[in-house]
Amino acid sequence: MVAENVSVVSVAAVLLDAVCVLSDAEECALQELSRTLQVDRARLQLELTLLRASAVDLAAVTALGEGLICDELRQKVRDRCQRLVNQSGGDSEGETGERVALYGRIVNDPQKTPGSLRDAIGFVFAQCCTDGDSNVDLAHLGGAMFAVFYEEVHQLLDSIDFEPSMEDRA
């Protein structure tokens, strides 16, 4: 089933909700994970948000291809995530873009094998959560979350027929 004439703004709103807003169940799970894995809860939440934003970014590129719709969608997600980073006391103005670029380099690395993408993403996620330490449980979590989130967003974007942008109509 294909959704027709859907605006980029409405899709971005749905994706932003999925990326940035935790459900009550996710809040409880995050609290338990941070305690069990001995990771700062706020840091874990921020890194999960950045991981999700990176998955959306990759899914947009692979599902939509280069163009105005893809660029607009990616920029809306990055801008909103950057505001969250700033509110949470993140390290820099461009932290969202830097993290998306970091995950993007992993995805585009010609040295990796297809089966190792999940592991490579997870390893970086664990290092970001722990200031460089390798935590196997965090790596598994990050890799699995990226893979599942990417797949779901890719399927969603692939099933949408976006309405033409204002530039396309002119």
Side-chain angles (χ1 to χ4, degrees), residues 19-20 44-54 81 84:
V19 168
C20 301
L44 182 59
Q45 181 175 350
L46 175 63
E47 291 302 331
L48 281 172
T49 299
L50 294 172
L51 181 80
R52 289 174 172 180
S54 298
C81 287
L84 283 174

Side-chain angles (χ1 to χ4, degrees), residues 2-169:
V2 174
E4 295 184 16
N5 293 324
V6 179
S7 74
V8 172
V9 171
S10 61
V11 173
V14 169
L15 291 175
L16 285 169
D17 190 46
V19 168
C20 301
V21 179
L22 295 177
S23 68
D24 290 341
E26 287 174 312
E27 287 280 354
C28 290
L30 189 66
Q31 186 66 38
E32 184 61 33
L33 273 172
S34 68
R35 187 173 36 256
T36 301
L37 300 175
Q38 299 177 347
V39 177
D40 178 69
R41 187 205 166 288
R43 179 75 178 269
L44 182 59
Q45 181 175 350
L46 175 63
E47 291 302 331
L48 281 172
T49 299
L50 294 172
L51 181 80
R52 289 174 172 180
S54 298
V56 167
D57 195 78
L58 177 62
V61 170
T62 57
L64 303 175
E66 297 296 326
L68 291 175
I69 291 172
C70 179
D71 293 344
E72 184 179 350
L73 184 64
R74 292 170 72 200
Q75 193 59 52
K76 287 185 182 311
V77 171
R78 285 183 186 195
D79 290 348
R80 176 67 178 120
C81 287
Q82 188 58 52
R83 284 194 299 276
L84 283 174
V85 168
N86 294 344
Q87 291 171 355
S88 71
D91 294 337
S92 70
E93 274 297 309
E95 189 167 358
T96 300
E98 291 168 11
R99 192 73 83 248
V100 169
L102 174 63
Y103 287 120
R105 284 192 300 274
I106 294 166
V107 169
N108 294 318
D109 180 4
Q111 300 299 317
K112 71 165 177 16
T113 59
S116 69
L117 178 59
R118 181 185 289 210
D119 294 338
I121 293 283
F123 178 73
V124 170
F125 173 76
Q127 288 187 321
C128 291
C129 287
T130 61
D131 291 324
D133 292 338
S134 296
N135 181 312
V136 174
D137 293 327
L138 275 173
H140 287 301
L141 172 70
M145 287 207 55
F146 184 90
V148 169
F149 206 75
Y150 164 82
E151 185 62 34
E152 292 294 321
V153 172
H154 188 278
Q155 286 178 10
L156 172 72
L157 295 176
D158 201 35
S159 70
I160 295 174
D161 182 18
F162 286 92
E163 69 182 18
S165 67
M166 293 306 240
E167 292 90 12
D168 293 340
R169 293 181 199 166

